[in-house]
Amino acid sequence: MKKSRSLQEYVEQFQLANHLNPDLLRCLHLYRLDEERDLELNDPTQARLDFLVEGSLYVSYDHLDGTRSAIGTLSPMALIGELDLFVEEPNLRLSITTAEPSAFLYIERDFALRYGANDPRFLRLVIQNLSSKLIRSTLILRHNVLPLSGQVAALLLTQTADGNNKLRIKSKNYLAELVGTTTRHLNRILNTFVTDG
């Protein structure tokens, strides 16, 4: 069994003292969620800024008809709730679910604003995170105009290759959901890629 790490160990690992002033560091709390658990984002009385420090998350969009579309993943040092710091209840209808056991640091919204709203280092961290999310969402939109095989290829090319030049994806089901197709159709596309070399 993996030993649970402390709040201070995460602060040191991600060098948060370079981004958070002493007041913000004092307001940090640590919590953990098991796999396949949803983050509670819809309660304005619980508004907070989360720092994913271990594990990974699936981000999905909840459509008005009750269906859900996967739109991406988040990995450590992603921020969650940074838009909520400045926009009251943006109502983006996003669901964020743990893909594996995950750990988070958080600061309550009121404290983040009180101690960070005029702190350039903290604001730079927030802006960098928002910029990264904007770039990724723009890439997703840009790829949506491609034919389905092009969308699959574009998403695969954005994945990190390991030392053996193999692409890593969470699962075929997840990739199929990202491009809005069935796993069976995705398999046909992947087999075509293999055949075409």
Side-chain angles (χ1 to χ4, degrees):
M1 178 185 254
K2 193 162 120 177
K3 179 184 176 285
S4 292
R5 298 175 62 204
S6 71
L7 185 149
Q8 189 56 40
E9 287 173 307
Y10 290 121
V11 167
E12 290 170 9
Q13 177 185 351
F14 294 104
Q15 300 176 341
L16 289 176
N18 294 336
H19 305 286
L20 306 178
N21 63 48
D23 290 322
L24 289 170
L25 287 170
R26 269 196 311 278
C27 294
L28 279 174
H29 301 278
L30 170 66
Y31 75 99
R32 292 179 170 78
L33 289 176
D34 292 329
E35 183 176 358
E36 298 298 322
R37 296 289 306 273
D38 288 334
L39 270 71
E40 298 297 327
L41 303 172
N42 298 324
D43 184 354
T45 64
Q46 302 285 325
R48 64 184 189 262
L49 176 65
D50 289 291
F51 300 75
L52 175 63
V53 290
E54 188 175 317
S56 61
L57 306 172
Y58 296 129
V59 182
S60 304
Y61 177 76
D62 295 328
H63 297 276
L64 291 175
D65 66 3
T67 60
R68 182 179 279 188
S69 296
I71 58 172
T73 57
L74 297 175
S75 54
M77 219 34 218
L79 301 184
I80 301 133
E82 68 276 30
L83 186 59
D84 299 340
L85 291 177
F86 308 104
V87 179
E88 293 268 339
E89 300 182 53
N91 195 17
L92 298 176
R93 293 197 313 267
L94 295 177
S95 294
I96 301 178
T97 306
T98 54
E100 59 189 308
S102 300
F104 304 83
L105 301 180
Y106 76 92
I107 302 172
E108 293 175 20
R109 179 182 188 270
D110 292 342
F111 292 124
L113 288 174
R114 180 182 309 159
Y115 301 124
N118 294 311
D119 184 331
R121 294 181 309 159
F122 173 70
L123 294 175
R124 199 171 306 121
L125 176 67
V126 170
I127 290 167
Q128 287 170 345
N129 200 273
L130 284 170
S131 298
S132 173
K133 288 179 180 176
L134 179 60
I135 290 167
R136 280 188 308 222
S137 65
T138 301
L139 289 173
I140 289 171
L141 288 174
R142 187 177 76 189
H143 295 150
N144 281 344
V145 300
L146 297 172
L148 188 57
S149 61
Q151 291 180 42
V152 172
L155 282 169
L156 289 175
L157 290 172
T158 64
Q159 302 302 308
T160 305
D162 65 19
N164 298 324
N165 291 326
K166 293 182 181 176
L167 297 171
R168 296 181 325 181
I169 58 172
K170 294 282 183 195
S171 71
K172 285 185 185 178
N173 288 339
Y174 183 72
L175 184 57
E177 194 174 324
L178 273 176
V179 295
T181 191
T182 63
T183 307
R184 186 175 178 179
H185 193 85
L186 175 65
N187 281 331
R188 283 195 294 269
I189 292 169
L190 294 175
N191 286 334
T192 302
F193 289 167
V194 170
T195 302
D196 292 346

